[in-house]
Amino acid sequence: MGERPSEYTRDENDWYVEPSWCIDALRLSVQFKGSIHDPCCGMGTIPNMLGATGADLIDRGYGYENQDFMSDLRAYDNIVTNPPYGIAQSVIEHALKITKHKVAALVQTKFLASQRRHSLFYRREMQKVIMFSRRPSMPPGEMLRTHGESIRGGGSIDFCWCIWDQDHIGSTTIEWAI
């Protein structure tokens, strides 16, 4: 059985909101040293659940800093983010340049299968991939803001966490989160 297209209309800024269980799965598998920042925080799910700071390219009215991450040169201990799919590779590459410890990115599983992104996954820092055994429902942020959590249905797209660790030496591992 294959992946089916999302039931949601595409958001022009790729603003889709992860359910809390995705962050719970990350917490169960990855330990972070120091503070955490989410540069694509949208509604703030990741900052709220991880006690992190947050910013977003667009002011979405949730009180987070309005910041173009690609021009942000501050050093961060860790970056944990659900980046917009269209700029995910650029966000991850920039995060790896300015992060002291770990970068965790929530991406569609198909993100892993790309010749263009091959070098991103062949890096020494690539520590692990956490595959979800179920598909998360990630509605557009505006839809979630208007209708609340009841809008979430069954997910239709496969997602995973990709973790890079500046101190990692060795092979990349794959884990499954139920």
Side-chain angles (χ1 to χ4, degrees):
M1 183 171 192
E3 187 175 278
R4 64 181 163 81
S6 172
E7 66 264 27
Y8 306 117
T9 303
R10 178 136 192 189
D11 181 87
E12 70 176 292
N13 296 304
D14 283 344
W15 179 31
Y16 300 96
V17 182
E18 64 283 346
S20 59
W21 65 261
C22 291
I23 293 95
D24 288 337
L26 178 68
R27 271 199 294 216
L28 288 171
S29 180
V30 179
Q31 301 298 312
F32 294 96
K33 294 185 292 188
S35 61
I36 298 172
H37 180 71
D38 180 359
C40 308
C41 74
M43 296 177 113
T45 307
I46 291 170
N48 289 335
M49 291 192 67
L50 297 179
T53 58
D56 206 299
L57 181 61
I58 296 169
D59 183 358
R60 302 192 190 279
Y62 291 96
Y64 293 99
E65 178 184 5
N66 188 225
Q67 170 72 43
D68 177 0
F69 180 61
M70 303 311 290
S71 62
D72 185 356
L73 300 178
R74 292 175 283 188
Y76 293 98
D77 289 335
N78 302 283
I79 299 281
V80 176
T81 192
N82 172 10
Y85 189 80
I87 61 169
Q89 181 174 355
S90 297
V91 168
I92 294 165
E93 288 171 342
H94 184 65
L96 286 166
K97 290 177 187 171
I98 63 171
T99 303
K100 297 175 190 173
H101 301 295
K102 294 181 182 176
V103 173
L106 182 61
V107 296
Q108 294 180 25
T109 303
K110 68 181 181 180
F111 188 80
L112 297 171
S114 168
Q115 289 181 342
R116 191 181 82 222
R117 291 184 289 271
H118 176 264
S119 62
L120 192 57
F121 300 108
Y122 203 71
R123 296 174 65 113
R124 173 195 58 79
E125 299 95 338
M126 186 68 209
Q127 181 185 26
K128 74 170 80 174
V129 175
I130 304 168
M131 304 290 296
F132 294 128
S133 296
R134 61 180 170 146
R135 294 174 175 161
S137 174
M138 294 205 194
E142 281 301 327
M143 185 180 287
L144 194 61
R145 183 192 328 241
T146 302
H147 301 287
E149 286 293 324
S150 64
I151 196 69
R152 289 194 196 271
S156 60
I157 297 174
D158 296 311
F159 281 84
C160 62
W161 281 107
C162 294
I163 316 299
W164 290 264
D165 182 343
Q166 300 291 359
D167 298 325
H168 176 70
I169 297 172
S171 299
T172 302
T173 59
I174 299 176
E175 297 177 10
W176 279 263
I178 297 176

